[in-house]
Amino acid sequence: MSIDLRSDTVTRPTAAMRQAIAAADVGDDHLDGDPTTRRLEARVATLLGKEAALFFPSGTMANLAAIMTHATPGTEILVDADAHVVNLTGAGIPLASVQPRFVAPTGRTISAGDVRRALRPPSRYSPRLSLLSVENTHNGAGGAVTSLAELRDIANVAAEMSVPMHLDGARLWNVEAATGIAMSEYAACAGTVMVSFSKGLGAPVGAALAGTMELMESAWHARKRLGGGLRQSGVLAAAALFGIDNHRDRLSVDHANAARFAKAVDGAGGARVVPPDTNIVMIDLPASMPADGIARRAARQGLLVSVWTASRIRVVTHLDASTEDVDEAARILREVVERG
Ligand SMILES: *Cc1c(COP(=O)(O)O)cnc(C)c1O
């Protein structure tokens, strides 16, 4: 069996999680609300300090529904060029009939100053701005955390522009684990927040969007249009609730494993490791080592990694990779890279 560090989405439901799924109380969510889904939505709303939350089959759909909820067709949304919603959803944004305008980060992730620099002076010719979307942790930047102070500054820029802010917090759980600051503090900066259950929490699928009752009413219709209205979704919600109750407190283990991995691999064969804030490790390879070749050779030795760019590979620690697995993974990658 290979050690699979391509993503924290590869985790399989544990035996205890499967028991929770089997025992879930269910009903037709689309008709009159599924009891377990309702319980999950209430739990997430409380954790994020929002009035309401809505369960989604995926984070991708929840982010798109958030854009459709906030942004009028024919307007523009501000988003960083390396955002998940830009790079990893096919071409999802155009489905909301809006165009993205990219914010270039000067650091690892966008700052309030970067957002300010991306703003245009008002003009009849320019598209109207309807939303600012921010990602925390930032996947493409290697699980980077945007600090609460920076996020508040960014929210202030959005408020000055009178545009709402959406937070793609697929891994906001990891932000909380890394900083010790409650998720609700980060969530308070944004009108809507998406959190994923199928990353660090280890559920098979699912995400939630949270915000005001009014926004969630609109998001319900967006979800409907996207075909995301579910029936006995309690079987999925039960897994998410189990993940929140049992796997949230152990995310710091993933972070410690990522730090061990980074330390063990940095410098090997000229590889440069971006110091991880959370559970994602980006490894920049020397020009002589194409990332796909390194990934193929690591796979032959029993380690699966993601090819992120032509010269960068990504490793993600998770629930199904023990500290011993991660140490073995570091040994394999070091050996592959040192052979060049
Ligand atoms: C995984 C991820 C998503 C999408 O979640 P899915 O449930 O896989 O659709 C959105 N944003 C970020 C930052 C992610 O990492």
Side-chain angles (χ1 to χ4, degrees):
M1 257 272 283
S2 293
I3 302 169
D4 192 347
L5 300 184
R6 289 172 300 169
S7 175
D8 46 9
T9 58
V10 301
T11 54
R12 293 177 172 86
T14 60
M17 184 181 277
R18 285 169 192 262
Q19 272 174 16
I21 292 169
D25 186 14
V26 297
D28 188 324
D29 192 56
H30 218 48
L31 273 181
D32 35 43
D34 168 279
T36 308
T37 305
R38 287 276 168 95
R39 208 149 55 76
L40 172 65
E41 290 170 342
R43 184 82 194 279
V44 170
T46 303
L47 279 171
L48 295 175
K50 298 293 187 196
E51 281 176 15
L54 204 53
F55 181 71
F56 276 79
S58 73
T60 299
M61 190 189 285
N63 277 337
L64 180 56
I67 295 171
M68 291 166 82
T69 297
H70 289 293
T72 323
T75 61
E76 192 171 61
I77 67 166
L78 275 176
V79 61
D80 79 277
D82 207 20
H84 185 283
V85 70
V86 173
N87 283 331
L88 298 168
T89 63
I93 292 174
L95 295 172
S97 297
V98 296
Q99 78 177 11
R101 179 167 167 82
F102 298 130
V103 181
T106 44
R108 268 177 90 185
T109 56
I110 57 168
S111 66
D114 296 334
V115 175
R116 223 180 271 284
R117 267 188 298 282
L119 299 173
R120 297 193 186 88
S123 149
R124 301 172 70 173
Y125 305 126
S126 304
R128 277 190 302 117
L129 184 63
S130 57
L131 179 67
L132 167 64
S133 181
V134 177
E135 187 176 317
N136 199 16
T137 67
H138 197 291
N139 182 356
V145 171
T146 298
S147 73
L148 183 57
E150 191 64 57
L151 200 66
R152 283 178 174 157
D153 286 349
I154 293 171
N156 285 336
V157 178
E160 281 168 32
M161 298 303 298
S162 303
V163 293
M165 187 163 119
H166 170 64
L167 176 59
D168 175 350
R171 293 187 185 80
L172 198 59
W173 317 98
N174 298 82
V175 175
E176 181 181 69
T179 63
I181 299 171
M183 294 167 84
S184 55
E185 297 280 329
Y186 298 90
C189 299
T192 50
V193 185
M194 184 278 272
V195 290
S196 166
F197 306 119
S198 65
K199 307 284 168 75
L201 297 186
V205 295
L209 185 69
T212 61
M213 297 276 207
E214 199 183 341
L215 285 170
M216 289 309 101
E217 195 53 37
S218 302
W220 193 94
H221 286 280
R223 187 183 69 175
K224 175 74 185 157
R225 289 181 67 201
L226 295 169
L230 301 178
R231 305 300 182 179
Q232 287 73 32
S233 48
V235 293
L236 303 174
L241 278 166
F242 185 91
I244 295 171
D245 289 337
N246 296 281
H247 299 155
R248 184 168 155 225
D249 285 346
R250 62 156 300 288
L251 291 171
S252 54
V253 175
D254 293 343
H255 297 180
N257 286 343
R260 279 171 81 91
F261 182 93
K263 195 154 163 267
V265 172
D266 189 37
R272 286 273 155 261
V273 178
V274 181
D277 285 351
T278 55
N279 68 326
I280 301 179
V281 189
M282 294 294 193
I283 301 116
D284 289 317
L285 300 165
S288 59
M289 292 181 208
D292 55 349
I294 293 294
R296 254 197 321 273
R297 281 158 51 201
R300 280 204 291 271
Q301 303 299 316
L303 169 64
L304 304 182
V305 301
S306 285
V307 175
W308 200 252
T309 69
S311 62
R312 176 175 266 204
I313 56 179
R314 188 188 77 161
V315 156
V316 188
T317 57
H318 55 74
L319 182 62
D320 286 2
S322 66
T323 301
E324 293 70 35
D325 291 337
V326 172
D327 284 349
E328 172 65 3
R331 189 195 63 71
I332 293 171
L333 190 65
R334 220 172 36 231
E335 195 180 287
V336 167
V337 178
E338 272 166 0
R339 267 199 237 131

